[in-house]
Amino acid sequence: YNDLGANGNPETPTPNLNALAAQGARYTRHYADATCSVARAALMTGTFPATHGLRPDHFGLSTGTPTIASMLSQAGYHTKHIGKWHIATATLEQSPTQLGFDNWFGFLHPQETSGPSSDGITFRMPTYIDPWLHDNQAPLKQYSGHLTDILTQRAIEFLEQQKGRSQPWFLNLWHYAPHAPIQPSGKFRDKYPATKEGRYYALIDQLDFNIGLVMAALDRNGQADNTLVIVLSDNGGNNAATNNNHPYHGKKGEFFEGGLRTPMLMRWPGRIAPNIVSDEIVSLYDIFPTIAQASAALPPAYLIGRSLLDPE
């Protein structure tokens, strides 16, 4: 919550996210979950994660589970996932293409970014530097550069490919930053003090810069006015480098405000008025029905949340 400058922290470097917030709606009472895998399952399915074995078993989603992507595919959308998947301990049989996406690029769980282990079993620490990633169902391959930059470039390439096409599209871009390990690239690291907080702000700065590149691509391609953009975090910060969740008590893994209450922004020019600050209670469960209304797709009848868009 406190990593977003628009939420009241003048120290955190999020000019592009602040600008996005001013162009649409900023929700101050958005509730995610205390950890990422559980939150991502809730967002993608619109249902309670326990329905799918998450908490305590922590398995991935079964192949064919209805998702936002499968709903949009049935409505004629071209669907793409880029970045972190990590809906629990997913395998390639539980990858995005098995759950409604036409194709994907990224990693099933963070440890994959360090490459395959020699014994095929041991997991190593995640990394942002020269990460190993999947291109669809292909085996892991190492890519040169910083993870945040690589994912953003793939997102921009996707947007460029959609320019001028009549088929509607859905891009599910799940960045890893600013998750630990805190490894900003030198360009951003050198702007801040050599402290835990400095490195953390550098990684946020790099993420914000990359989000700005994605938004600029929408503008450049003439897609901005016809695109609903949703930005959110899947759990509270861990408070390891700075007080991520000020002014709320608690952190990641805890069922207090600090562990659950995260930023959420929505922008859709012409449909969502600018400079809206809403204190209504919203949650991850509202994303699925909101996207359903925005796309005129037919959602499953059992969804928990409700659309955050005004009625047609």
Side-chain angles (χ1 to χ4, degrees), residues 237-252:
N238 61 18
N239 287 345
T242 186
N243 190 350
N244 298 103
N245 310 309
H246 176 81
Y248 304 112
H249 173 74
K251 59 185 179 180
K252 179 178 179 177

Side-chain angles (χ1 to χ4, degrees), residues 81-104:
H81 172 79
I82 295 176
K84 179 181 179 182
W85 183 243
H86 203 199
I87 299 183
T89 51
T91 65
L92 282 173
E93 288 71 38
Q94 299 164 314
S95 73
T97 47
Q98 309 305 308
L99 289 151
F101 287 93
D102 292 321
N103 48 68
W104 70 287

Side-chain angles (χ1 to χ4, degrees), residues 1 9 83 119 145 157 256 267:
Y1 188 92
N9 183 354
D119 59 9
E157 289 173 3
F256 296 106
R267 190 195 80 166

Side-chain angles (χ1 to χ4, degrees), residues 288-306:
F288 201 138
T290 297
I291 291 176
Q293 182 178 344
S295 63
L298 183 64
Y302 52 74
L303 296 182
I304 297 169
R306 87 283 194 206

